[in-house]
Amino acid sequence: MVDLGVRIGSLALRNPIMPGSGTFSEELARVVDLNRLGAYVTKSVTPGFRDGNPTPRVAETPSGMLNSIGLPSKGIDHFLAKTVPFYARYAAPLVVSVSADSPEDFAMMAERVSVPGVAAIEINISCPNIEEGGHAVAMEADATYDVVSRMRVRTDWPLWAKLTPNTGSATASARAAEAAGADAVVVANTILAMAIDLETLAPKLGTGTGGLSGPAVKPVILRMVWQCAQAVRIPIIGSGGIMNATDVVEYLAAGASAVQVGTATFLYPKAMVRIVDGLAAWCTERKIARVTDLIGRALPSAAPARRAREA
Amino acid sequence: MVDLGVRIGSLALRNPIMPGSGTFSEELARVVDLNRLGAYVTKSVTPGFRDGNPTPRVAETPSGMLNSIGLPSKGIDHFLAKTVPFYARYAAPLVVSVSADSPEDFAMMAERVSVPGVAAIEINISCPNIEEGGHAVAMEADATYDVVSRMRVRTDWPLWAKLTPNTGSATASARAAEAAGADAVVVANTILAMAIDLETLAPKLGTGTGGLSGPAVKPVILRMVWQCAQAVRIPIIGSGGIMNATDVVEYLAAGASAVQVGTATFLYPKAMVRIVDGLAAWCTERKIARVTDLIGRALPSAAPARRAREA
Amino acid sequence: MRADTLAAVEAPTPLPVPGDEYLGTVLVNAAVNARYKHLVVSAPEAARKIRPGQFFNLLCPPLPDEAVFLRRPMSVYQMHPNGGTVEFLYHVTGAGTRALALLAPGDTLDMLGPLGLGFSLDPAWRRIVVLARGVGLATLAPLAQLAQASGVAITAVLSARSKLDLMSQSVFADAGAEVLTVTDEEGTSAVPQVERLLLDLIRAGRADAFFTCGSNRLLKLLQTLGRAHGIGGQVAIEQQMACGLGMCFCCVRQIERNGTVANLRVCRDGPVFGLHEALSW
Amino acid sequence: MRADTLAAVEAPTPLPVPGDEYLGTVLVNAAVNARYKHLVVSAPEAARKIRPGQFFNLLCPPLPDEAVFLRRPMSVYQMHPNGGTVEFLYHVTGAGTRALALLAPGDTLDMLGPLGLGFSLDPAWRRIVVLARGVGLATLAPLAQLAQASGVAITAVLSARSKLDLMSQSVFADAGAEVLTVTDEEGTSAVPQVERLLLDLIRAGRADAFFTCGSNRLLKLLQTLGRAHGIGGQVAIEQQMACGLGMCFCCVRQIERNGTVANLRVCRDGPVFGLHEALSW
Ligand SMILES: Cc1cc2nc3c(=O)[nH]c(=O)nc-3n(C[C@H](O)[C@H](O)[C@H](O)COP(=O)(O)OP(=O)(O)OC[C@H]3O[C@@H](n4cnc5c(N)ncnc54)[C@H](O)[C@@H]3O)c2cc1C
Ligand SMILES: Cc1cc2nc3c(=O)[nH]c(=O)nc-3n(C[C@H](O)[C@H](O)[C@H](O)COP(=O)(O)OP(=O)(O)OC[C@H]3O[C@@H](n4cnc5c(N)ncnc54)[C@H](O)[C@@H]3O)c2cc1C
Ligand SMILES: Cc1cc2nc3c(=O)[nH]c(=O)nc-3n(C[C@H](O)[C@H](O)[C@H](O)COP(=O)(O)O)c2cc1C
Ligand SMILES: Cc1cc2nc3c(=O)[nH]c(=O)nc-3n(C[C@H](O)[C@H](O)[C@H](O)COP(=O)(O)O)c2cc1C
Ligand code: FES
Ligand code: FES
């Protein structure tokens, strides 16, 4: 029996597979056994009601998809009343993704969602679909530090900062999140991108640009995980283009301690459960006893050990 | 007959299709009629001899490829003696891509390549495969300004600055290039990325990370072109993931005046010529008389005209 | 009758049976005319679950040099719960449908479904009018089966570009429907003509409810007539989708319900909505 | 003899005929054993151009749920310039070769080639030794045809994991070669054993030149023996490729030529290099 368990700070997960925020909801319980997952991550919740962006909100691209959902939300009250209780009947820890328009509102949200039934708080400072021009807090280290540190003083719950790939300095934002007291970083949200309709010659998405996800982004986000793993000591949760168990192996080797699966679930609702099984099978075949043995194996620091093994 | 001609500043091209630097060489003349292209862009040439990076230098990714060639070069003397004369027998203008280790060397290269037979100089300040950690000049606006302005004073030849997607502020670098006197910007070089070998759990590329190209990057680079077209007045040359004529239409609509084709030529050596023919056919079918009519049609500034046409 | 009163009557009832991922076997995939194809798939377990108006989210096979990444939603055109087959009628438009068009008998089709809330017939509706154009037919055809089973009389007004494009008259005729056809070719399909035809049906007492799908132009016409004459009904709406299960919120349309306009998910809250709930777009 | 003198003799001669993109038709794609397949393609124009040791860069068909993006280089295993066919022998390893394995008779195969510089026989070489292991056989097999046509005698030393994995003995035997086989199974394929076997051949005057491919271990052995006994030859080298035409510089290997070590392109400057030019890796 392979031990699939991983730790994200104080939180023990039965396996490293969880959904990405916004690509998962209560509906999935109708198709898969949620108890098989390592954790649940909710759609980002905002202080008040939000309608989301104009349609079309989705477009297809080579090996990927664009979305411009724009964080529709029923607001925090509805969320605490309905969503948190729903997950109480399932085994894995619930991670609540929060978003807000100002650092002060982020801090307020940290306090509001620090309730029993919530195991950790994910900070969505990286959505490319809400601010003008795709801007997001996590593009700058200073702004990242500001939001995370204000939340830190308002809650003892574990804080996971979700970073953006739309920057030349992902490691700087990761370090800022760590310095501000984040317990983990999620690497990363979607890549700002677009597609154009050939009939109208207008952007395909209602908002012009949107976030790219799916296999197309995997090489880019994997690189970010690998860079961040060399920059911070807190655990990294990788997210981008994971379709199968070997994609998870790549992320773990790059330095992630766990992963989030998004787009794959849209194509195959059972993807996450298949990935959990596939990961166990992959490890068994290679006589790897603990999935944690894979973490960081592709990092430069692991190169001497790797060469010794190969020799 | 569709008019495929476009202008990049003072330079008139018979059509908007040219190769991307490093994805084209004299060898292609054995397979296609080079006279059919809009321009030729050479592999980046450096002051002296460079051996390039360790192997493996290539890896496959979903709808794309990673490369870590590392600018092997025989140096500027060999280039002027052999490469420039080779293209003299062909009809289209020759664009020389230059790279160097310091702003001063970039300036020296500008002077050296300002010779008859060279129509324009492309400035490769965006290769992710030569500096530590994938760093490149074009990631920062200041450094971009520095290199371009130093070259500007040393040559009257048209200067095209090739930007990087590995930054949160592509428009700032585009504006810096424009302010420093660039005649056009090429958007963009490859995206820093990686892949991990499942047998060894080490990075697949000899250098760890490399540059992602091919259809996977098209949505990201198209977005950059669209953003830059709203930020600068100089022409934009789009480059990323173009496989066929409709990809070119997307780039033109996003605001590019011409495009560069790279990876497609590796899969189909005749890709560029097929794209030229395909673009003419696409325009003919839609009764578009001049390919320049497509430029910028997806920009916000074109929205009122677009809506009027549709109504 | 006010629009929200109508809406209360006409709102489709939730269906409890969740969709799942099935691997069907293609039996037939034949051209109906130059632009439409008819796909018959053997998928017994899936077939047993379907309610009229539901759809499947289909995984398209790979094309030689074109990527088809997302699934594509397709209404169930004909269902045979006992025969174990599911039929689709589709219009070949882009990469996804071009890929579906390549399926050959014996091939496997990965189909997620049945999904969404289908049509439901209010017991007060004894005579209904179905207005269908183009591929909307595929979505509305199962109504013929449903109405027949419920002893409801149908008048089907089928609209198309040309006589050649008219499909499925027999699906409705076989279910005992009266079939009226209008075409662009004959100049009988423009809004004023169709409006006159519908007014005749209303006057003849044959329009207790309207059903339609797809075309914004026809939806508007039915809403206007419905408001004027106190007639409700249902409309099946389309929107680009990703998950098909209600998770991603890609597929919303503006729906007016209980006095407020909300972005509802076509895949989960629809695709069938009350005729007067749907804001035209 | 010094290594660079050997190199001058053994360097393959440039071939003038450029490759092109051809659409071949698959005639046969059959399993040779559990891991190897044999592909026969009808492509008359391409077939006429091939020189022994050249390769094609093949576009792999799409897999159901796996992307194959780049072409895959494959040596010509057998060529039939008059028959109009080209044959490949390949080892099913990753996505690309798994995709090739799905090709069925009648399918179209997009093949770019023939590419690269092939083998050439120095007139002084009257008796050559070919040392091939595994899929290296595919690359070396055309030497049998070339040698036979030039009246050169071959001794083929074929190495494999097991007797079952030994392929193509007949290709060499039919060309009049003496075939010696060594296997891991029988414990006859280790370097010391093969070395002894080669020394015997040298002593018997049957080794004017060595030819090999693929295995670094065997290349080193031949280089050592060659240096000691003044024997040159040629080696076909592999490296991951993108363009196959010499444009991208993905496919370099370190080659010692004219006294300096340079990164040469396997696709354009090779894949065949002088035995002593190739730095082992
Ligand atoms: C619930 C539902 C049921 C449907 N039933 C049928 C059916 O029975 N038969 C049929 O032929 N079609 C049906 N459609 C529409 C069908 O899903 C689209 O035509 C198909 O996805 C187009 O895919 P494509 O790749 O061929 O074309 P694309 O190139 O993706 O698109 C072609 C054009 O169609 C638009 N489009 C794409 N997907 C959708 C969509 N989901 N909804 C609306 N517009 C879209 C695009 O914007 C574009 O303008 C249905 C759609 C929905 C939502
Ligand atoms: C000139 C040349 C001729 C060749 N001739 C033959 C032949 O006749 N028969 C045959 O079976 N194989 C041949 N090969 C090797 C063949 O190209 C690779 O095995 C194939 O590309 C693997 O593709 P894949 O997608 O199946 O595996 P992948 O998953 O891409 O790779 C499987 C393993 O092979 C390695 N690999 C991939 N491509 C190459 C390559 N081009 N060179 C070296 N290693 C590689 C990878 O790093 C990996 O370890 C030749 C290679 C070259 C360069
Ligand atoms: C439709 C959609 C909605 C998303 N919504 C959110 C969100 O609300 N909050 C968030 O932090 N990330 C959101 N994401 C990003 C995903 O959580 C994930 O990080 C990303 O999609 C990359 O993973 P993937 O390639 O596996 O999809 C969304 C992604 C998609 C595709
Ligand atoms: C193998 C390879 C080598 C490249 N070498 C260079 C180079 O020397 N200089 C440069 O500016 N860009 C270089 N590029 C980037 C391309 O010119 C082009 O901008 C990029 O590949 C995106 O286009 P594509 O998706 O069509 O390939 C290289 C790209 C590849 C794939
Ligand atoms: S398609 Fe995902 S919510 Fe409807
Ligand atoms: S594969 Fe491109 S140079 Fe050899």
Side-chain angles (χ1 to χ4, degrees):
Chain A
M1 267 303 289
V2 183
D3 178 0
L4 293 180
V6 298
R7 297 194 73 86
I8 305 295
S10 57
L11 212 62
L13 310 184
R14 72 190 58 199
N15 65 58
I17 314 299
M18 64 184 100
S21 174
T23 65
F24 171 74
S25 70
E26 296 90 307
E27 274 84 4
L28 199 64
R30 310 185 337 154
V31 185
V32 305
D33 177 6
L34 296 190
N35 293 313
R36 301 286 320 281
L37 305 182
Y40 316 122
V41 184
T42 69
K43 171 92 195 151
S44 296
V45 58
T46 54
F49 174 88
R50 281 178 59 96
D51 219 11
N53 284 341
T55 57
R57 290 177 171 185
V58 61
E60 177 170 284
T61 66
S63 297
M65 64 176 278
L66 295 172
N67 88 79
S68 163
I69 309 297
L71 302 187
S73 168
K74 293 193 171 148
I76 181 66
D77 294 331
H78 180 273
F79 183 85
L80 293 173
K82 300 282 181 190
T83 309
V84 175
F86 174 87
Y87 290 100
R89 79 190 79 156
Y90 295 103
L94 177 67
V95 181
V96 174
S97 168
V98 300
S99 174
D101 290 335
S102 68
E104 196 30 56
D105 276 359
F106 265 109
M108 178 271 289
M109 289 294 277
E111 203 169 294
R112 295 273 336 253
V113 299
S114 297
V115 296
V118 172
I121 303 168
E122 183 173 292
I123 317 172
N124 180 0
I125 43 173
S126 46
C127 180
N129 296 325
I130 44 172
E131 287 184 56
E132 192 64 40
H135 188 266
V137 166
M139 287 169 74
E140 285 104 34
D142 291 354
T144 302
Y145 184 89
D146 185 34
V147 167
V148 177
S149 56
R150 282 175 195 244
M151 292 177 77
R152 183 71 291 166
V153 296
R154 300 277 282 273
T155 182
D156 293 331
W157 264 243
L159 288 176
W160 299 357
K162 186 163 180 180
L163 303 182
T164 175
N166 303 310
T167 168
S169 54
T171 51
S173 296
R175 272 192 291 256
E178 180 177 45
D183 299 279
V185 283
V186 181
V187 177
N189 217 310
T190 50
I191 305 183
L192 191 65
M194 83 182 300
I196 289 172
D197 189 294
L198 292 169
E199 293 308 317
T200 62
L201 293 180
K204 277 192 178 172
L205 296 177
T207 44
T209 60
L212 181 65
S213 62
V217 309
K218 192 187 71 170
V220 181
I221 309 297
L222 195 66
R223 176 267 300 174
M224 267 187 76
V225 166
W226 191 76
Q227 289 179 319
C228 288
Q230 296 171 62
V232 298
R233 285 156 186 275
I234 53 177
I236 294 167
I237 297 152
S239 174
I242 293 171
M243 298 300 283
N244 51 47
T246 53
D247 293 333
V248 177
V249 173
E250 284 194 69
Y251 270 100
L252 297 176
S257 295
V259 298
Q260 297 185 347
V261 177
T263 306
T265 304
F266 297 164
L267 302 191
Y268 306 97
K270 293 173 181 148
M272 285 186 282
V273 170
R274 285 185 199 154
I275 290 173
V276 171
D277 291 338
L279 187 60
W282 195 90
C283 291
T284 305
E285 223 170 88
R286 279 158 193 79
K287 303 199 183 6
I288 292 167
R290 286 172 307 270
V291 84
T292 49
D293 291 345
L294 296 169
I295 298 172
R297 287 276 287 272
L299 293 172
S301 56
R306 201 164 53 223
R307 274 193 293 271
R309 251 191 309 273
E310 278 161 30
Chain B
M1 267 304 286
V2 182
D3 178 0
L4 293 181
V6 297
R7 296 194 73 88
I8 304 295
S10 57
L11 212 62
L13 310 184
R14 74 190 56 198
N15 66 57
I17 315 299
M18 64 184 99
S21 174
T23 65
F24 170 75
S25 70
E26 296 90 309
E27 274 85 4
L28 199 64
R30 306 183 344 150
V31 186
V32 304
D33 177 5
L34 296 190
N35 293 314
R36 300 286 321 280
L37 305 182
Y40 316 123
V41 184
T42 68
K43 172 92 193 150
S44 297
V45 59
T46 55
F49 174 86
R50 280 179 60 95
D51 218 11
N53 285 340
T55 57
R57 291 179 171 185
V58 62
E60 177 170 286
T61 66
S63 297
M65 64 175 277
L66 295 172
N67 88 78
S68 163
I69 309 297
L71 302 187
S73 169
K74 292 194 171 150
I76 180 67
D77 294 330
H78 180 273
F79 183 85
L80 293 173
K82 300 282 180 186
T83 309
V84 175
F86 174 87
Y87 289 101
R89 80 189 79 155
Y90 296 103
L94 177 66
V95 181
V96 173
S97 169
V98 301
S99 175
D101 289 336
S102 69
E104 196 29 57
D105 276 358
F106 265 110
M108 178 270 289
M109 288 294 278
E111 203 169 296
R112 294 278 330 258
V113 300
S114 296
V115 298
V118 173
I121 303 168
E122 183 173 292
I123 318 171
N124 181 1
I125 43 174
S126 46
C127 180
N129 296 325
I130 42 172
E131 286 183 56
E132 192 64 39
H135 188 269
V137 166
M139 287 169 74
E140 285 105 33
D142 292 354
T144 302
Y145 184 89
D146 186 35
V147 167
V148 177
S149 57
R150 281 173 195 245
M151 293 177 76
R152 182 71 292 166
V153 296
R154 300 278 281 273
T155 182
D156 292 330
W157 264 244
L159 288 176
W160 300 358
K162 187 163 179 181
L163 303 182
T164 175
N166 303 310
T167 167
S169 55
T171 50
S173 296
R175 271 192 292 257
E178 180 176 45
D183 297 280
V185 283
V186 182
V187 178
N189 218 308
T190 50
I191 305 182
L192 191 66
M194 84 184 298
I196 289 171
D197 188 295
L198 292 169
E199 294 307 318
T200 61
L201 293 180
K204 278 191 178 173
L205 296 177
T207 44
T209 60
L212 181 65
S213 63
V217 310
K218 191 187 71 169
V220 180
I221 309 296
L222 196 65
R223 176 266 300 173
M224 267 187 75
V225 166
W226 191 75
Q227 290 178 319
C228 288
Q230 295 170 63
V232 299
R233 285 157 187 274
I234 52 177
I236 293 167
I237 297 152
S239 173
I242 293 171
M243 299 299 285
N244 52 46
T246 54
D247 293 333
V248 177
V249 173
E250 285 195 69
Y251 270 100
L252 297 176
S257 295
V259 298
Q260 296 184 347
V261 177
T263 306
T265 304
F266 298 164
L267 301 190
Y268 306 96
K270 293 174 181 149
M272 285 187 283
V273 170
R274 286 185 200 154
I275 290 173
V276 171
D277 292 338
L279 187 61
W282 195 91
C283 290
T284 305
E285 223 171 88
R286 279 156 192 81
K287 304 199 179 12
I288 292 167
R290 286 173 305 272
V291 84
T292 50
D293 290 345
L294 296 169
I295 298 172
R297 287 275 288 272
L299 293 173
S301 57
R306 203 164 54 221
R307 274 193 293 271
R309 253 190 309 273
E310 278 161 30
Chain C
M1 215 187 301
R2 285 185 38 240
D4 51 351
T5 324
L6 282 173
V9 177
E10 69 195 4
T13 41
L15 295 173
V17 194
D20 208 338
E21 197 183 344
Y22 296 102
L23 297 179
T25 304
V26 174
L27 301 179
V28 178
N29 190 22
V32 174
N33 56 38
R35 301 178 301 130
Y36 290 87
K37 288 196 90 168
H38 178 203
L39 174 64
V40 184
V41 184
S42 165
E45 209 183 325
R48 268 195 298 277
K49 291 189 179 176
I50 303 166
R51 309 283 181 95
Q54 286 192 302
F55 69 96
F56 282 82
N57 215 5
L58 304 179
L59 201 69
C60 306
L63 284 170
D65 54 4
E66 209 167 358
V68 186
F69 186 69
L70 297 171
R71 289 176 181 263
R72 295 292 191 274
M74 283 296 157
S75 298
V76 174
Y77 168 55
Q78 295 278 283
M79 49 205 192
H80 305 279
N82 302 325
T85 58
V86 187
E87 300 185 25
F88 302 96
L89 178 73
Y90 62 97
H91 185 186
V92 180
T93 37
T97 44
R98 267 203 304 280
L100 288 178
L102 294 181
L103 287 170
D107 285 355
T108 297
L109 177 65
D110 181 328
M111 40 203 287
L112 175 65
L115 299 170
L117 307 183
F119 297 105
S120 52
L121 293 177
D122 189 287
W125 299 338
R126 305 308 308 154
R127 290 180 291 189
I128 64 172
V129 174
V130 175
L131 179 57
R133 179 166 170 98
V135 86
L137 264 171
T139 305
L140 293 163
L143 259 179
Q145 286 175 271
L146 181 67
Q148 191 174 35
S150 326
V152 169
I154 303 193
T155 310
V157 183
L158 309 184
S159 168
R161 280 207 232 165
S162 69
K163 288 241 166 205
L164 277 175
D165 275 359
L166 276 167
M167 294 168 296
S168 320
Q169 284 135 289
S170 62
V171 171
F172 285 96
D174 292 354
E178 174 162 356
V179 179
L180 308 174
T181 64
V182 297
T183 63
D184 304 357
E185 197 179 53
E186 303 162 301
T188 50
S189 62
V191 169
Q193 270 108 324
V194 175
E195 182 169 7
R196 241 171 286 141
L197 202 157
L198 293 170
L199 278 171
D200 289 344
L201 293 173
I202 294 173
R203 278 191 221 105
R206 282 163 60 189
D208 294 345
F210 288 133
F211 289 80
T212 192
C213 164
S215 157
N216 202 19
R217 198 167 53 99
L218 298 182
L219 172 61
K220 276 190 188 160
L221 171 60
L222 291 183
Q223 288 179 332
T224 311
L225 283 177
R227 288 223 169 80
H229 298 85
I231 299 169
Q234 286 167 359
V235 56
I237 292 183
E238 294 191 2
Q239 178 61 286
Q240 265 108 320
M241 293 186 176
C243 74
L245 280 176
M247 298 186 288
C248 70
F249 285 80
C250 286
C251 64
V252 299
R253 287 274 185 200
Q254 293 201 300
I255 301 293
E256 191 173 350
R257 194 172 276 182
N258 308 326
T260 55
V261 176
N263 273 324
L264 295 191
R265 293 161 299 180
V266 170
C267 73
R268 174 90 173 90
D269 306 313
V272 176
F273 293 95
L275 181 69
H276 297 281
E277 290 185 326
L279 266 62
S280 53
W281 54 93
Chain D
M1 217 189 296
R2 282 185 40 241
D4 52 350
T5 323
L6 282 173
V9 176
E10 69 196 5
T13 41
L15 294 173
V17 195
D20 208 336
E21 197 183 344
Y22 295 102
L23 296 180
T25 304
V26 174
L27 301 179
V28 178
N29 190 22
V32 174
N33 56 36
R35 302 177 300 131
Y36 291 87
K37 288 196 90 169
H38 177 203
L39 174 64
V40 184
V41 184
S42 163
E45 209 183 325
R48 267 195 298 278
K49 291 190 181 175
I50 304 167
R51 309 282 180 97
Q54 286 193 301
F55 68 97
F56 282 83
N57 215 3
L58 304 179
L59 201 68
C60 307
L63 285 170
D65 54 5
E66 209 167 359
V68 186
F69 186 67
L70 297 171
R71 288 176 182 263
R72 295 292 191 273
M74 283 296 155
S75 298
V76 174
Y77 168 56
Q78 294 278 283
M79 48 205 195
H80 305 280
N82 301 326
T85 58
V86 187
E87 299 185 26
F88 302 96
L89 179 72
Y90 61 98
H91 185 186
V92 180
T93 38
T97 44
R98 267 203 304 281
L100 288 179
L102 294 181
L103 287 170
D107 285 355
T108 297
L109 176 66
D110 181 328
M111 40 203 286
L112 175 66
L115 299 170
L117 307 184
F119 297 105
S120 53
L121 293 179
D122 189 287
W125 298 338
R126 304 310 308 153
R127 288 181 290 190
I128 64 173
V129 174
V130 174
L131 178 58
R133 181 168 168 96
V135 86
L137 263 172
T139 305
L140 293 165
L143 258 179
Q145 287 175 273
L146 180 66
Q148 192 174 33
S150 325
V152 170
I154 303 193
T155 309
V157 182
L158 309 184
S159 168
R161 279 206 232 166
S162 70
K163 288 239 166 205
L164 277 175
D165 275 0
L166 275 168
M167 295 167 295
S168 319
Q169 285 134 288
S170 63
V171 170
F172 285 96
D174 292 354
E178 175 162 355
V179 179
L180 308 174
T181 64
V182 296
T183 64
D184 304 357
E185 197 177 53
E186 303 162 297
T188 50
S189 63
V191 168
Q193 270 107 324
V194 176
E195 182 169 8
R196 239 170 291 140
L197 205 155
L198 293 170
L199 279 171
D200 288 347
L201 293 173
I202 293 172
R203 277 190 223 107
R206 280 162 62 187
D208 295 343
F210 288 132
F211 289 81
T212 192
C213 163
S215 159
N216 203 19
R217 198 168 52 101
L218 298 182
L219 171 60
K220 275 188 189 160
L221 171 59
L222 291 183
Q223 288 178 331
T224 311
L225 283 177
R227 286 220 171 80
H229 298 85
I231 298 170
Q234 289 168 358
V235 56
I237 293 185
E238 295 192 0
Q239 178 62 286
Q240 265 108 319
M241 293 187 176
C243 73
L245 279 175
M247 298 186 288
C248 71
F249 284 80
C250 287
C251 65
V252 299
R253 287 274 185 200
Q254 293 200 301
I255 301 294
E256 190 173 350
R257 193 172 276 181
N258 307 326
T260 55
V261 175
N263 273 324
L264 295 192
R265 294 160 298 180
V266 170
C267 71
R268 173 91 172 91
D269 305 313
V272 175
F273 293 94
L275 181 68
H276 296 280
E277 291 185 325
L279 265 61
S280 53
W281 56 92

